[in-house]
Amino acid sequence: MNVTSMQNSDWQIDGSTRILGVIGDPVMHSLSPAMHNLALSYLGVNARYLAFHVKPSHLNDAVRGFVAQGVLGFNSTLPHKEALLKLMDWVDDEAMLMGAVNTVRIEPDGRLLGYNTDAYGFQMAMEMNFPKHMLGAEVVVLGAGGAARGVVTGLANGGVQRITVANRTLSRAEHLLDSLTGPNLARVDRRATPLEPHKLSLETCKLLVNTTSAGMHGESFQAVDLHRLPPDAVVVDIIYTPARTPFLQAAQNRGLKILNGLDMLVHQGARSFYIWTGQQMPVSRVKDYLERLLNS
Ligand code: ATR
């Protein structure tokens, strides 16, 4: 590892400070700079993490610039995760299976190593909070966009038995399941269904995960009758602002166990952090900090 460590009290920028960051369009609201800078500072790693607003037409130039300037690595968010895959010199199995890269490590010789930590983030969030809710479970995933790819892959890695992807646009759900591959997913019974009340079977569903952006705008789902879930079901929403979407609030009112997306965010970040620095992010400290930040 070529990142030098120093005492916490010496956490200042100098000639050997390394750069990390996130690229996205938009990127301004990303929590990743707060998350990673807290961890870097806490562990005394001589690096800083910045947000870079990169438009799709500038992706290639931005990545070449990072290589030329000796940047240590970076995360990617919407809309770059798929396009980045083609720019990598090496890609790990998970990123290859998902067709998307969310973490890049730049080697000293300029080689670009691509990873995807989203599925790991979801799996860890589940295992930390509800360790018995994945193995052999029937799961319903709402939504079939980019975020659903990480969740479906994480569920397969966690050993679920059946995944139903319910989406407003059925063809996207079908495409998602067709395009995701790998030995863990091959063992899972997979179905696509339209997001409609009579098509969605919830009676034996142990885990219901919302991956759509609906709750960010205060919306919930007419098509999902939470009363049809068994009483021991867990309901997850990968959104973390608001901390409790109307969907999660309704699940809690119904007496179900709930989880929002903050743990997934922190765990995917922790995996990226390890890829760059070889050090373990202090996850509970980072989560507390982000919760305080979101509440302020
Ligand atoms: P992301 O990469 O963040 O997942 P995306 O690719 O735009 O974003 O996908 C958004 C997902 O949210 C899609 O599954 C979308 O459904 P469609 O494929 O039918 O567009 C779903 N979505 C967004 N708003 C929704 C709403 N109000 N009700 C139901 N589904 C919604």
Side-chain angles (χ1 to χ4, degrees), residues 55-269:
K55 298 217 171 287
S57 58
H58 289 149
L59 178 64
N60 208 12
D61 289 344
V63 172
R64 290 296 134 210
F66 286 162
V67 171
Q69 292 170 80
V71 165
L72 182 58
F74 59 96
N75 285 129
S76 63
T77 184
L78 284 173
H80 300 308
K81 291 185 184 184
E82 286 84 14
L84 256 188
L85 189 75
K86 300 181 192 76
L87 303 181
M88 297 296 107
D89 296 300
W90 175 89
V91 174
D92 82 338
D93 288 347
E94 199 101 313
M96 193 60 94
L97 293 175
M98 289 169 63
V101 165
N102 83 330
T103 304
V104 178
R105 181 185 157 94
I106 304 178
E107 291 290 85
D109 64 2
R111 280 189 326 126
L112 296 161
L113 312 185
Y115 303 81
N116 196 310
T117 67
D118 287 335
Y120 169 88
F122 179 78
Q123 192 183 347
M124 281 301 288
M126 279 303 299
E127 281 173 7
M128 292 293 185
N129 289 281
F130 304 107
K132 298 201 176 103
H133 264 76
M134 286 206 291
L135 198 62
E138 280 186 35
V139 185
V140 172
V141 175
L142 307 177
R149 302 184 84 79
V151 168
V152 168
T153 306
L155 287 167
N157 294 348
V160 304
Q161 188 182 48
R162 176 180 293 173
I163 300 175
T164 302
V165 176
N167 198 44
R168 196 170 54 177
T169 314
L170 177 61
S171 58
R172 277 189 93 187
E174 290 168 339
H175 174 72
L176 178 91
L177 290 176
D178 287 345
S179 64
L180 287 173
T181 54
N184 290 339
L185 262 164
R187 281 191 280 272
V188 179
D189 174 13
R190 288 161 286 161
R191 296 149 192 230
T193 184
L195 189 49
E196 292 166 12
H198 303 298
K199 300 279 166 76
L200 203 55
S201 160
L202 295 175
E203 284 71 15
T204 52
C205 168
K206 206 171 170 193
L207 175 60
L208 173 62
V209 187
N210 174 42
T211 71
T212 77
S213 45
M216 282 170 116
H217 318 293
E219 299 158 82
S220 196
F221 303 98
Q222 301 299 328
V224 184
D225 179 3
L226 294 169
H227 288 91
R228 287 170 54 204
L229 284 169
D232 63 342
V234 166
V235 177
V236 179
D237 197 322
I238 67 159
I239 293 169
Y240 47 82
T241 36
R244 223 167 283 157
T245 57
F247 176 66
L248 268 196
Q249 188 61 62
Q252 192 175 45
N253 295 347
R254 152 102 174 77
L256 300 167
K257 292 184 243 47
I258 60 168
L259 181 68
N260 75 12
L262 196 59
D263 286 56
M264 180 181 175
L265 174 82
V266 174
H267 284 289
Q268 65 76 31

Side-chain angles (χ1 to χ4, degrees), residues 22-31 33 50-54 77-78:
V22 54
I23 58 168
D25 178 24
V27 76
M28 211 170 86
H29 300 293
S30 171
L31 282 182
L50 303 170
F52 297 95
H53 185 183
V54 175
T77 184
L78 284 173

